[in-house]
Amino acid sequence: MAETLHIPYHLLTFVLFHLALFASSSYSVSFGFYATSCPTAEIIVKNTVREASSLDPTLPGKLLRLVFHDCFVEGCDASILLQGNGTERSDPANSFLGGFSIIDSAKRVLEFFCPGTVSCADILALAARDAVEFAGGPSVLIPTGRRDGRISLASNVRPNIIDTSFTMDQMLKIFSAKGLSLDDLVTLSGAHTIGSAHCNAFMDRFKVDSKGNFTLIDSSLDREYAAQLTKRCPGGAAATSPTTDNDPETPNLFDNQYYKDLLAHKGLFQSDSVLVSDKRTISKVQNFANNQDSFFESWEQSFLRLTSIGVKIDNEGEVRQLCAVVN
Ligand code: HEM
């Protein structure tokens, strides 16, 4: 008696994607890479992220942004974690990144239990994955085995990181150079459903003169929302505090509210609002705004692709002893 095996469509595509990924190349990261060498590796990272995020709800956003800025520059190789003059981390475009100390904490515990085994690049990817899950998002199975890079150059940051003033075509150019699609752009921008931003990231969308008169410069932004934003930035664009929630409705929850915000013209950055004004992306935004499951299914696949960019294996990299310095 044959039983019918019911496999959900998204699970099937997920499995097929992985089969294709691993059959087609010499890519030797794998699921459960540390199963024998350090069986508690993923649990240690998850516990570190959970404990720290319970104390500091701003942490998940920081960890998620950190992996994006790592993977887009030199691949997912923890090059963003290296300290020193002229490193990626020292570039002004990365000045508001955070979450470094949590990666260091997880690394310390891992070095105690499994010395010289778990790479900082894996810790970073796992921590971002766990941060999303902690904030209420989907939990994603990701392969491990990334090696840590030895190169980190500030000069590589600007050509690879997207500025809020970019047009859709400029954003797509960078995404496609990383092997990511238009759909990945819409999906991964959903990361802005958590976390916060400094005034300089959106202050050019409106202005307030010395008499307090408010002018909306970017008409794709809701006027009332823009007026509220001005109150968050009394010091103007240069103000480094306070920060503003990326998602004004459910700031710490990883959900599909970001897409609802976009449709209400409350995308915080110009690069968010573009997703609604461009006819290539509006239908995806609408779909995600109406269907959180659809967003989460896409997220699982896009996040997997993000954390697979330019991964180093074997002697292309090393397992650092300390995440902030090469061995
Ligand atoms: C597509 C173009 C993107 C642009 C132009 C962009 C730009 C920015 C900017 C300007 C901030 C505010 C930083 C600050 O002032 O502290 C920010 C925050 C953030 N971004 Fe993006 N971003 C983009 C895509 C992404 C992607 C793909 C991810 C992750 C998958 C991501 C995750 C985040 C997160 C989580 C925050 C909040 C950080 C925190 O709370 O400290 N962003 N982004």
Side-chain angles (χ1 to χ4, degrees):
M1 270 207 301
E3 270 184 3
T4 311
L5 189 61
H6 179 71
I7 304 175
Y9 176 72
H10 73 276
L11 190 63
L12 191 66
T13 50
F14 184 78
V15 170
L16 289 177
F17 171 73
H18 285 96
L19 285 178
L21 186 67
F22 299 115
S24 66
S25 67
S26 59
Y27 191 76
S28 74
V29 294
S30 58
F31 293 97
F33 182 85
Y34 299 112
T36 48
S37 59
C38 188
T40 51
E42 297 204 16
I43 297 286
I44 288 173
V45 175
K46 195 181 286 280
N47 285 345
T48 309
V49 169
R50 286 190 161 270
E51 276 166 30
S53 302
S54 321
L55 297 172
D56 175 6
T58 69
L59 193 59
K62 292 184 172 125
L63 290 171
L64 183 52
R65 186 165 187 238
L66 195 55
V67 83
F68 167 50
H69 281 231
D70 182 39
C71 293
F72 264 52
V73 185
E74 284 287 342
C76 307
D77 67 347
S79 51
I80 190 66
L81 303 181
L82 291 173
Q83 272 180 323
N85 283 342
T87 59
E88 291 171 28
R89 189 168 166 175
S90 72
D91 189 87
N94 284 329
S95 58
F96 292 133
L97 289 181
F100 297 97
S101 63
I102 301 312
I103 305 298
D104 291 339
S105 303
K107 179 67 173 171
R108 268 195 301 277
V109 181
L110 285 164
E111 282 302 301
F112 179 79
F113 287 106
C114 317
T117 307
V118 183
S119 69
C120 300
D122 277 341
I123 298 172
L124 185 46
L126 291 168
R129 181 272 302 269
D130 295 336
V132 168
E133 190 190 328
F134 179 85
S139 72
V140 189
L141 260 184
I142 55 167
T144 40
R146 296 165 189 77
R147 307 276 286 180
D148 298 325
R150 299 184 186 93
I151 296 170
S152 179
L153 297 170
S155 56
N156 278 345
V157 174
R158 298 301 168 119
N160 289 290
I161 289 294
I162 298 172
D163 190 84
T164 51
S165 63
F166 277 25
T167 63
M168 176 63 81
D169 286 335
Q170 287 173 314
M171 292 199 276
L172 277 180
K173 198 171 165 204
I174 293 196
F175 262 62
S176 68
K178 313 289 169 200
L180 299 178
S181 67
L182 185 74
D183 282 357
D184 290 320
L185 172 64
V186 181
T187 305
L188 291 170
S189 295
H192 292 161
T193 185
I194 58 171
S196 61
H198 294 76
C199 297
N200 66 334
F202 53 84
M203 273 297 279
D204 56 353
R205 307 184 76 189
F206 44 80
K207 70 172 183 223
V208 185
D209 67 20
S210 52
K211 292 184 189 132
N213 298 318
F214 166 80
T215 312
L216 188 63
I217 296 172
D218 182 344
S219 60
S220 66
L221 193 63
D222 178 77
R223 171 173 284 276
E224 213 172 294
Y225 176 54
Q228 282 166 20
L229 290 174
T230 58
K231 300 195 183 109
R232 297 289 299 167
C233 299
T240 53
S241 66
T243 52
T244 298
D245 294 328
N246 287 344
D247 168 4
E249 307 296 333
T250 55
N252 296 329
L253 190 62
F254 193 98
D255 57 4
N256 65 339
Q257 182 63 43
Y258 166 78
Y259 299 100
K260 296 178 190 171
D261 296 340
L262 290 187
L263 294 176
H265 301 284
K266 292 180 182 174
L268 186 56
F269 311 132
Q270 191 207 299
S271 50
D272 294 319
S273 299
V274 166
L275 300 178
V276 170
S277 55
D278 195 292
K279 58 180 185 307
R280 290 169 286 182
T281 45
I282 176 72
S283 60
K284 198 96 205 153
V285 171
Q286 284 164 334
N287 171 255
F288 289 163
N290 291 328
N291 186 342
Q292 179 161 283
D293 289 345
S294 172
F295 167 47
F296 280 10
E297 281 161 25
S298 285
W299 178 266
E300 288 177 29
Q301 294 177 26
S302 295
F303 184 78
L304 190 66
R305 280 193 277 274
L306 169 67
T307 51
S308 302
I309 296 171
V311 164
K312 297 182 171 60
I313 51 166
D314 303 327
N315 58 8
E316 290 166 354
E318 61 185 13
V319 173
R320 281 182 216 145
Q321 285 171 356
L322 289 173
C323 291
V325 283
V326 295
N327 288 343

